[in-house]
Amino acid sequence: MANTVIGSSIVIDGEISGDEDLVIQGTVKGKISLKESLYVEGSGVVEADIETQNVEIAGRVTGNIVASDKVELKTDCRVVGDIKAPRILIADGASFKGNVDMDMKER
Amino acid sequence: MATAKELSASNNVDNTVVGPSILISGRLTGDEDLTVRGRVEGELTLSRTLIVEPSGVVKANVAVRNAIVSGVVVGNINATESVELTREGRMVGDIRAPRVIIVDGASFRGRVDMGDVEPGRLPAERPAVVRPTAVSRPSVTPARPTIPAARPTPPPPPSRPTPPPPPARPSAPAATTRPSAPITRPGLGGLGSKPLPPPPPTRVERAESQAEQAGAAEPPTPVLVGAGAKKKVVVKKKTR
Amino acid sequence: MATGETGIIGKGIVIKGNLTGGGDLVIEGRVEGQIALKNHLTIESTGKVQADIRAEELTINGEASGNIDASSRVAINASAKVAGDIKAPRVVIEDGAVFNGSIEMDVRLPDDI
């Protein structure tokens, strides 16, 4: 269970880093680096480069994503940017524009 | 109006939490309560309540409605309603709020400005820009000078559509009208960066109820306040 | 002032000048000037003090303006109105009190701040 929730009315312009799960329902611009999982919920808007272990995106993300484990783009998400991760899931209904890099070395 | 007890129970909806390992640096704005168990640096503007838990560290200029500090705050807090330092709270910086509570056990260094003119009580001292002069204490850093000039005198309280009766609350007008002065680096801040509020509503209780209405009616416009806050300078020198 | 016992400056009394002493003191009247006490000073709700104050402990229920230097504790209670700079290891401000000025306590901050 995530400790950190960025609520829907919150706007952060800057950097977020940490060692725990992060749920974004609001807006984050800048940079996110986490050692755990990031969840961008339906209301979430992220304009940031993301570095994390796992990402699940149901909202909107603009920026490059590097995940050490997995990136999951859910239905109705909108993602623009390059994704680099050993596992990438794109659900039906997701919209995505960018490059995907699943370089085996990352595993 | 809220103190620690009253508040922590209510307002649980839309509560944003910054977990203990999280560091946010930059500018954070929002219209909901924020609980900090980790660390927030930079600038923090909320139209509701900031709760800094014992593990939390806020190194920022803060503009909120209420603040409850059980952790560490380094920076100035500007609250439209109240600031409470609990037993575990530690703060270095200036507080400006109509209601300030410091509980035994809390530690604090900085100025307190409740901006309250009791009828007949030192009214002469209060009018805006006056106070900064009191600031000529040695510990103060250069950042200060920008403020008095920048901070307009209260009379025309522009921005905040405060409910008619009371004079506008201090923070909003000032923030909006403040020209974009040079941004002072956090860390250099001065005590005196805190401007004097307009001769505020007289009694605390009334101020509160107004504040509540005002808050409900329209949250402080985050960006503007934020911009103001940034100039306002964060931290007092640690060494005094 | 008194030595050892508790002195009281009653409601009707106005003192202009310096007050020094070793005992506890309760002020219900008015004092203007300077106060230096070794022990506990209480300003009652009827008391009005315009003075720089030094004491071990200070409890304010009334009005005080001036700088305060207390070696142990300053309590600004709900009915108090205080203006001035305070230096003390412990300072308490109750809800409802009005205070304008600076407070200087020792603040132990984390190292990484």
Side-chain angles (χ1 to χ4, degrees):
Chain A
M1 173 48 204
N3 282 323
T4 293
V5 180
I6 306 298
S8 55
S9 83
I10 299 283
V11 178
I12 294 175
D13 192 344
E15 274 183 40
I16 302 180
S17 57
D19 303 339
E20 64 195 82
D21 292 353
L22 174 65
V23 176
I24 298 178
Q25 297 160 348
T27 301
V28 176
K29 299 176 186 175
K31 191 179 165 192
I32 298 172
S33 42
L34 292 181
K35 299 218 171 74
E36 302 289 333
S37 297
L38 171 67
Y39 303 88
V40 181
E41 298 199 346
S43 58
V45 177
V46 174
E47 291 172 30
D49 289 339
I50 296 171
E51 222 184 290
T52 175
Q53 187 179 39
N54 294 293
V55 203
E56 276 183 30
I57 301 170
R60 312 172 73 163
V61 173
T62 307
N64 299 327
I65 300 171
V66 179
S68 59
D69 183 21
K70 185 177 80 174
V71 173
E72 188 171 349
L73 308 189
K74 304 204 152 189
T75 309
D76 293 334
C77 77
R78 298 180 59 178
V79 176
V80 179
D82 297 343
I83 298 178
K84 187 171 178 184
R87 294 158 64 205
I88 296 175
L89 285 75
I90 301 181
D92 190 12
S95 102
F96 168 65
K97 180 178 174 186
N99 294 320
V100 169
D101 180 349
M102 296 176 69
D103 193 334
M104 298 300 280
K105 281 180 292 189
E106 292 288 333
R107 274 177 198 263
Chain B
M1 243 280 329
T3 54
K5 293 158 239 146
E6 303 156 26
L7 269 179
S8 43
S10 62
N11 297 340
N12 280 337
V13 204
D14 276 338
N15 203 348
T16 288
V17 178
V18 175
S21 83
I22 297 285
L23 164 64
I24 295 178
S25 64
R27 186 161 57 193
L28 191 156
T29 59
D31 298 328
E32 61 199 78
D33 294 350
L34 172 67
T35 301
V36 179
R37 301 188 179 123
R39 191 160 173 142
V40 176
E41 296 183 358
E43 195 180 300
L44 206 161
T45 306
L46 295 178
S47 57
R48 298 186 65 173
T49 300
L50 168 68
I51 299 168
V52 184
E53 299 208 339
S55 60
V57 174
V58 171
K59 189 176 168 186
N61 264 332
V62 175
V64 291
R65 177 149 58 153
N66 297 292
I68 298 170
V69 179
S70 303
V72 173
V73 173
V74 175
N76 299 332
I77 299 182
N78 206 330
T80 53
E81 284 184 4
S82 73
V83 174
E84 179 171 356
L85 302 191
T86 72
R87 183 190 309 250
E88 296 155 287
R90 287 171 287 169
M91 173 172 174
V92 175
D94 295 346
I95 297 177
R96 192 152 72 95
R99 193 172 166 201
V100 176
I101 302 165
I102 299 182
V103 167
D104 201 5
S107 56
F108 171 72
R109 205 168 66 217
R111 298 188 66 81
V112 173
D113 188 346
M114 301 198 197
D116 205 351
V117 196
E118 283 305 302
R121 194 175 74 101
L122 311 173
E125 279 187 14
R126 314 250 81 241
V129 196
V130 171
R131 200 165 260 258
T133 49
V135 171
S136 51
R137 295 186 299 160
S139 56
V140 175
T141 57
R144 167 184 314 266
T146 53
I147 310 306
R151 180 76 88 162
T153 17
S159 62
R160 193 99 160 199
T162 334
R169 260 104 48 65
S171 62
T176 38
T177 31
R178 190 136 1 125
S180 41
I183 290 167
T184 328
R185 272 216 37 79
L188 296 183
L191 295 177
S193 50
K194 185 172 323 180
L196 204 58
T202 19
R203 218 27 211 133
V204 176
E205 290 75 17
R206 272 194 283 130
E208 288 160 10
S209 62
Q210 296 158 8
E212 264 160 27
Q213 297 166 17
E218 159 166 326
T221 47
V223 181
L224 292 176
V225 175
K230 183 183 265 171
K231 278 142 221 154
K232 204 163 45 152
V233 169
V234 189
V235 187
K236 229 166 37 176
K237 266 191 182 165
K238 262 196 288 185
T239 52
R240 273 231 233 176
Chain C
M1 269 308 312
T3 50
E5 296 297 310
T6 298
I8 298 180
I9 295 176
K11 280 188 196 140
I13 307 289
V14 178
I15 294 183
K16 295 189 182 179
N18 295 348
L19 270 178
T20 57
D24 293 348
L25 177 64
V26 176
I27 298 178
E28 294 170 353
R30 297 181 64 124
V31 176
E32 294 171 22
Q34 294 202 338
I35 299 173
L37 269 198
K38 291 216 178 72
N39 300 78
H40 189 156
L41 173 65
T42 305
I43 300 172
E44 285 302 349
S45 52
T46 54
K48 290 188 181 177
V49 174
Q50 280 185 298
D52 290 341
I53 298 171
R54 270 170 177 274
E56 184 197 26
E57 188 169 345
L58 177 59
T59 304
I60 306 174
N61 299 306
E63 296 186 20
S65 62
N67 297 332
I68 294 168
D69 190 340
S71 56
S72 90
R73 183 171 190 266
V74 175
I76 301 177
N77 292 334
S79 58
K81 300 181 180 65
V82 179
D85 296 345
I86 298 178
K87 209 176 151 184
R90 289 159 70 202
V91 178
V92 178
I93 301 181
E94 277 191 0
D95 193 8
V98 179
F99 171 71
N100 287 294
S102 73
I103 295 178
E104 194 171 336
M105 315 196 270
D106 266 339
V107 183
R108 236 157 266 169
L109 294 175
D111 296 335
D112 57 346
I113 275 211

